[in-house]
Amino acid sequence: MSRLDGKSVAILATFGFEQSELEQPREALAQAGARVHVVSPEADAITGWKGSDWGGAVPVDRPLGLADPGDYDAVVLPGGQINPDILRTKPEAVDFVRAMWRDGKPVAAICHGPWMVIEAGLAEGRAMTSYPSIRTDVENAGGRWEDAEVVADAGLVTSRNPHDLPAFSERLIDEIAEGGPYARAA
């Protein structure tokens, strides 16, 4: 039996996601036994960003309008500058993240992904990290920014950049396997 058998994870993304920040956690979660869906405001496929140009297309498993936060045990928010900047302007995307958090499910964001954490109102009082260029955004939202490869605070998992993906994925898998922040508080 794998650590995440029976668990489902949403990766919330749109055009311009950092290619590795979607693909590597998706692979790690699947290898741990989770069912992983790419959830997006788009219906068919989304294209990532790799290096200094567009990357490859990734199929959308579930359009955001049809995705129910109750069907998932965690949500992953990949970075890249474009992806989270677009998503944070979509009320249904922000509501999806809020619902996951409200229900005590892990929220994991990497690179610029913490912009979604900020937009959802989840940063205040939380230890977090991010890509260094949005440190001020995290701090202005009330987050306690740390320069570390992964920071976990009661179900909120954050990392700085693609180099941190192994630690990010490992900590996220631990959070899901432990049942989220509410399970540990009980």
Side-chain angles (χ1 to χ4, degrees):
M1 183 166 155
S2 297
R3 291 187 71 201
L4 300 184
D5 282 349
K7 302 290 185 180
S8 296
V9 179
I11 298 179
L12 181 58
T14 192
F15 291 103
F17 61 88
E18 176 64 38
Q19 199 82 35
S20 61
E21 294 173 2
L22 185 147
E23 292 177 344
Q24 288 182 30
R26 180 178 64 181
E27 181 179 324
L29 289 160
Q31 286 180 353
R35 181 178 52 126
V36 184
H37 285 161
V38 174
V39 174
S40 178
E42 310 305 322
D44 297 319
I46 52 177
T47 305
W49 191 260
K50 188 172 185 179
S52 60
D53 205 349
W54 290 101
V58 171
V60 172
D61 299 304
R62 177 114 359 119
L64 180 58
L66 301 177
D68 181 350
D71 292 341
Y72 298 99
D73 297 290
V75 62
V76 177
L77 305 168
Q81 291 177 327
I82 300 167
N83 169 62
D85 198 33
I86 292 171
L87 284 178
R88 68 185 175 159
T89 68
K90 307 271 186 205
E92 62 276 16
V94 176
D95 289 345
F96 188 92
V97 173
R98 278 189 193 123
M100 295 294 290
W101 187 255
R102 181 192 64 235
D103 292 343
K105 298 173 181 178
V107 172
I110 186 167
C111 189
H112 288 74
W115 269 339
M116 282 293 291
V117 173
I118 291 166
E119 194 65 33
L122 311 179
E124 188 170 350
R126 298 278 172 210
M128 298 174 59
T129 195
S130 66
Y131 197 74
S133 68
I134 68 166
R135 173 184 181 163
T136 301
D137 298 335
V138 169
E139 291 174 340
N140 285 342
R144 297 184 320 273
W145 195 87
E146 299 177 18
D147 185 13
E149 68 179 354
V150 65
V151 175
D153 185 346
L156 178 61
V157 179
T158 53
S159 284
R160 302 170 299 193
N161 58 53
H163 298 292
D164 300 336
L165 281 165
F168 176 75
S169 297
E170 182 179 333
R171 183 61 193 173
L172 174 58
I173 289 167
D174 288 345
E175 288 287 326
I176 297 167
E178 292 169 9
Y182 290 167
R184 287 188 304 281

